[in-house]
């Protein structure tokens, strides 16, 4: 069927639903199983419901369902990827089709990094009026059928809820049922999807008029009260934020103030000035909805995309509270889910462009300090996948080392950790440097949830002990530790800790002797793993009930 498979190549594709009839007649179909997310939503700290201002990203690119529709990947050169997951809370996939089911590759990548994904339910223009009239003016039975289907779809494909965007006028009969519909949809999504969300876009007033308010006010509050959040329109001024904050009360972090990166209409700042908008939003303690950050790719072009993307998010980092890992093991080779070659164990296995977000690995923080430090994706060499993490910086004059923070943690430290590192020094004198890992901790009693800025300074700095030989029993699992190859150096460490919580994992780059000048370095990271020694002995779960069907041998 053309809905599920590309007509030219027969490959499985992600899809949307058009119109009310397609939505109401949808039922699970084994042809659509490719579109079910296979990665559970990873836990992170602080959790979504904490009272910290959040960041939502709404991805809207060229109508949606472009190269990302190919569920098993494609040979796309210079594709669009998103990888600053540590800085955001919610990812929305947006298109102008009635029911936008997020392509599964996005849900897999987001979930692996702890970010929930919402689809979009949209109605617009005169067709939208007719559609709304049909299910809202039709009474309770009609709107309940729609909300139950939307909840079923999210549950079946394992994404996390909906952005509801009705952008057309409603009749008096239809608008009477709008808040009850939103309440019912929210309850259904909460029941069907653990941690599920429904967010309303600021468009319709309580009398049914289509009029964007750019704020939360008495005209649209009834819809905010009926669901998990409001995504405001983009043309706000500071006074809108002030009134919104007052009216939202204790739910101020449930208001996502819209920021259009394309800066259409009267806006405070978009493009590389998006930070101006965010600064104001955060002054009022509100959440932010960054719309179409794909501007970096669409407007500035594909060629320098990765460089421009790091610049864009680097400028915003100050206003984006980051998230911490709270479960082990952590293992990543930093791959973005794209590349110009595929690598395995440091060797180039296959040359040619590829794109498959489902295999994107856990992404680190991307620290940037103008002129002193940059972290970026390096496509020309990797240990595994399509890229490595390139860390470039300088060791200041008179200093012997510099620490680059890769991940933050918020979890009790197990009594014993094993850590592994694969790296490669670039440049003329790689032997001048030593590369290792540093773990910081704090006393267990201080592990508070809440505002990350008030977290205490780490009070323990640990340099895990290098293991020249592996303990028996671990050798098989940590096979990489003794066989760096193709110029990659492999290191294994152990660290014993007591009564403390993990705080940060950093890369430590040292010189043997401090120099009066600054010392530049470039290091490629191929893989990092942090493992709880206690869980290493357990045998991995066995695969069961494996079936295979629909074979076509060529």
């Amino acid at each position: 069927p053309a809905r599920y498979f590309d007509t030219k190549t027969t490959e499985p594709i992600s899809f949307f639903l058009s119109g009310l009839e397609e939505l109401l007649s949808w039922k699970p179909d084994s042809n659509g199983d490719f579109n079910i997310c296979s990665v559970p939503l990873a836990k992170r700290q602080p959790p979504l419901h904490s009272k910290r201002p959040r960041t939502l990203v709404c991805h809207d690119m060229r109508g949606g369902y472009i190269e990302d529709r190919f569920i098993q990947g494609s040979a796309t050169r210079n594709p669009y990827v998103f990888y600053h997951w540590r800085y955001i809370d919610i990812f929305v996939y947006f298109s102008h089709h009635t029911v936008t089911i997020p392509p599964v590759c996005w849900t897999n990548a987001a979930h692996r990094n702890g970010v929930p994904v919402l689809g979009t339910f949209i109605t617009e223009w005169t067709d939208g009026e007719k559609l709304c009239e049909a299910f809202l003016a039709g009474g309770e039975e009609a709107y309940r059928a729609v909300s139950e289907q939307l909840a079923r779809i999210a549950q079946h494909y394992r994404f996390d809820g909906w952005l509801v965007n009705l952008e057309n006028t409603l009749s008096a009969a239809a608008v009477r049922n709008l808040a009850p519909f939103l309440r019912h949809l929210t309850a259904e999504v909460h029941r069907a999807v653990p941690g599920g969300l429904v967010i309303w876009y600021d468009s319709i007033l309580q009398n049914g008029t289509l009029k964007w308010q750019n704020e939360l006010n008495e005209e649209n509050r009834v819809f905010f009260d009926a669901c998990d959040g409001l995504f405001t329109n983009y043309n706000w001024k500071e006074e809108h934020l002030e009134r919104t904050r007052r009216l939202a009360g204790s739910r101020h972090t449930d208001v996502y103030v819209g920021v259009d990166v394309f800066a259409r209409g009267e806006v405070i700042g978009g493009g590389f000035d998006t930070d101006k908008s965010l600064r104001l939003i955060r002054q009022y303690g509100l959440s932010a909805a960054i719309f179409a950050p794909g501007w970096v790719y669409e407007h500035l072009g594909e060629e320098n995309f990765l460089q421009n993307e790091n610049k864009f998010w680097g400028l915003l980092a100050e206003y984006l509270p980051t998230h911490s890992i709270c479960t082990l093991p952590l293992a990543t080779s930093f791959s973005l889910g794209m590349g110009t070659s595929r690598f395995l164990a440091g060797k180039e296995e296959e040359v040619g462009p590829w794109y498959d977000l489902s295999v994107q690995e856990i992404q680190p923080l991307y620290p940037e300090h103008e002129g002193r430090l940059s972290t970026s994706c390096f496509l020309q060499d990797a240990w595994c996948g399509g890229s490595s993490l390139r860390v470039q910086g300088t060791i200041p004059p008179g200093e012997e080392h510099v620490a680059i923070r890769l991940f933050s943690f918020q979890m009790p430290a197990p009594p014993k950790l094993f850590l592994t590192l694969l790296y490669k020094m670039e440049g003329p004198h790689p032997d001048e440097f030593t590369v290792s890992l540093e773990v910081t901790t704090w006393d267990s009693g201080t592990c508070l949830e809440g505002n990350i800025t008030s977290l205490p300074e780490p009070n323990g700095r640990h340099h895990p002990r290098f293991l020249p030989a592996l303990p028996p029993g671990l050798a098989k699992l940590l096979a990489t530790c003794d066989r760096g190859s193709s110029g990659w150096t492999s290191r294994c460490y152990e660290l014993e800790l007591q009564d403390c919580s993990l705080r940060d994992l950093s890369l430590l780059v040292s010189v043997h002797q401090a120099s009066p000048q600054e010392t530049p370095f470039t290091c490629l990271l191929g893989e990092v793993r942090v493992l709880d020694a206690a869980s290493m002995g357990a045998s991995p779960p066995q695969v069961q009930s494996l079936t295979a069907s629909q074979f076509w041998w060529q």
Side-chain angles (χ1 to χ4, degrees):
R3 173 185 287 175
Y4 302 109
F5 300 97
D6 186 67
T7 47
K8 291 194 191 75
T9 66
T10 74
E11 292 170 278
I13 50 171
S14 294
F15 59 91
F16 50 85
L17 304 174
S18 300
L20 199 53
E21 204 173 310
E22 282 195 12
L23 168 61
L24 293 174
S25 62
W26 174 88
K27 53 184 191 298
D29 179 322
S30 63
N31 284 313
D33 285 356
F34 289 104
N35 216 39
I36 296 174
C37 169
S38 58
V39 182
L41 178 60
K43 288 189 167 65
R44 62 197 325 215
Q45 282 287 355
L48 192 64
H49 53 74
S50 72
K51 281 296 165 201
R52 189 174 86 160
R54 303 178 199 116
T55 307
L56 175 153
V57 159
C58 190
H59 173 64
D60 173 22
M61 185 173 282
R62 299 174 185 165
Y65 302 96
I66 39 182
E67 292 83 5
D68 53 7
R69 76 182 185 278
F70 290 102
I71 294 174
Q72 294 170 341
S74 65
T76 305
R77 195 176 292 282
N78 299 328
Y80 175 74
V81 288
F82 179 82
Y83 49 93
H84 285 82
W85 299 109
R86 299 266 143 244
Y87 300 86
I88 76 164
D89 297 82
I90 300 166
F91 182 87
V92 178
Y93 193 88
F94 182 91
S95 84
H96 289 274
H97 303 288
T98 313
V99 178
T100 297
I101 298 168
V104 65
C105 63
W106 283 105
T107 312
N108 284 334
H111 278 189
R112 189 171 289 121
N113 286 281
V115 175
V117 175
L118 309 186
T120 307
F121 176 52
I122 191 173
T123 64
E124 44 194 349
W125 313 107
T126 42
D127 285 350
E129 280 179 46
K130 287 178 196 151
L131 195 150
C132 289
E133 197 62 19
F135 88 92
L136 284 173
E140 189 173 352
E141 203 178 317
Y143 74 69
R144 281 176 166 251
V146 167
S147 48
E148 281 157 21
Q149 276 295 72
L150 288 171
R152 267 186 215 117
I153 289 170
Q155 180 184 42
H156 182 72
Y157 295 114
R158 299 185 191 160
F159 61 96
D160 306 286
W162 296 97
L163 170 68
V164 179
N165 183 9
L166 308 188
E167 297 212 46
N168 44 256
T169 305
L170 295 186
S171 68
V175 80
R176 257 200 307 279
N177 283 325
L178 180 52
F181 160 67
L182 280 175
R183 261 194 298 280
H184 188 249
L185 173 62
T186 304
E188 287 295 304
V189 166
H190 288 181
R191 194 182 52 73
V193 180
L197 290 169
V198 173
I199 292 177
W200 169 253
Y201 184 70
D202 149 36
S203 50
I204 292 175
L205 310 186
Q206 57 186 2
N207 66 5
T209 313
L210 174 65
K211 194 174 181 193
W212 298 271
Q213 298 296 290
N214 306 299
E215 66 178 341
L216 172 67
N217 60 27
E218 293 300 346
E219 295 287 342
N220 60 18
R221 179 186 188 160
V222 55
F223 309 125
F224 174 63
D225 291 343
C227 67
D228 296 309
L230 170 75
F231 179 150
T232 77
N233 191 44
Y234 314 103
N235 305 122
W236 46 267
K237 297 278 178 283
E238 191 168 354
E239 58 265 27
H240 293 99
L241 303 182
E242 214 172 307
R243 292 194 293 262
T244 295
R245 172 68 207 236
R246 242 193 337 265
L247 191 61
S250 64
R251 284 191 69 200
H252 58 94
T253 55
D254 293 338
V255 179
Y256 300 85
V257 180
V259 179
D260 179 4
V261 180
F262 278 85
R264 289 162 281 212
E266 290 278 305
V267 301
I268 303 283
F272 286 131
D273 289 330
T274 299
D275 58 320
K276 292 180 178 151
S277 296
L278 275 180
R279 184 183 308 129
L280 270 181
I281 293 167
R282 297 304 195 214
Q283 272 173 20
Y284 289 90
L286 300 168
S287 292
I290 301 176
F291 183 75
W295 169 86
V296 175
Y297 182 85
E298 292 188 69
H299 181 71
L300 301 173
E302 301 165 11
E303 287 308 309
N304 292 326
F305 166 62
L306 294 171
Q307 205 179 328
N308 288 327
E309 182 76 342
N310 289 342
K311 177 181 172 183
F312 177 81
W313 290 98
L315 289 168
L316 302 185
E318 187 185 337
Y319 307 106
L320 305 176
T322 57
H323 294 81
S324 306
I325 289 169
C326 61
T327 53
L328 291 178
L330 164 66
T332 180
S333 66
F334 305 103
S335 180
L336 295 189
M338 49 94 59
T340 48
S341 300
R342 287 180 191 266
F343 294 84
L344 187 62
K347 293 187 187 63
E348 193 173 51
E349 294 270 302
E350 205 181 323
V351 180
W354 64 276
Y355 173 53
D356 182 358
L357 280 173
S358 284
V359 300
Q360 186 185 82
E361 300 255 342
I362 292 175
Q363 293 299 308
L365 296 161
Y366 278 86
E368 290 284 323
H369 299 295
E370 203 57 48
R372 287 183 301 136
L373 174 72
S374 77
T375 40
S376 58
C377 157
F378 189 66
L379 295 167
Q380 286 71 40
D381 198 357
W383 173 255
C384 180
S387 55
S388 53
L389 187 72
R390 179 163 59 176
V391 181
Q392 287 176 295
T394 55
I395 299 174
E399 299 277 322
E400 284 179 3
H401 59 78
V402 63
I404 300 101
R405 189 164 159 249
L406 299 175
F407 292 98
S408 75
F409 287 89
Q410 221 173 312
M411 62 177 286
K416 186 171 175 181
L417 291 173
F418 287 115
L419 302 97
T420 72
L421 170 67
L422 274 149
Y423 71 92
K424 189 184 265 194
M425 288 307 292
E426 300 273 271
H429 310 293
D431 302 339
E432 285 179 13
F433 299 94
T434 310
V435 177
S436 59
L437 295 171
E438 177 179 271
V439 175
T440 58
T441 56
W442 45 29
D443 297 338
S444 274
T446 57
C447 206
L448 309 166
E449 187 205 305
N451 193 339
I452 215 88
T453 53
S454 66
L455 291 176
E457 279 303 298
N459 48 20
R461 207 170 278 285
H462 309 271
H463 300 113
R465 189 170 72 84
F466 173 56
L467 294 176
L470 280 184
L474 279 185
K476 190 171 158 200
L477 187 91
L478 301 181
T480 49
C481 281
D482 50 7
R483 58 143 222 269
S485 61
S486 309
W488 291 90
T489 303
S490 168
R491 291 277 183 262
C492 245
Y493 307 92
E494 72 174 6
L495 177 60
E496 293 186 13
L497 295 166
Q498 242 181 329
D499 297 330
C500 61
S501 298
L502 296 179
R503 164 72 189 260
D504 286 319
L505 175 69
S506 298
L507 183 74
L508 201 63
V509 180
S510 318
V511 279
H512 307 307
Q513 204 178 350
S515 155
Q517 278 88 39
E518 54 181 39
T519 314
F521 65 86
T522 301
C523 176
L524 302 182
L525 284 192
E527 185 185 72
V528 168
R529 293 190 283 184
V530 182
L531 312 166
D532 178 351
S535 62
M536 303 281 294
S539 54
Q542 297 302 302
V543 174
Q544 286 169 329
S545 342
L546 184 67
T547 60
S549 60
Q550 299 186 354
F551 282 111
W552 179 31
W553 297 105
Q554 289 193 86

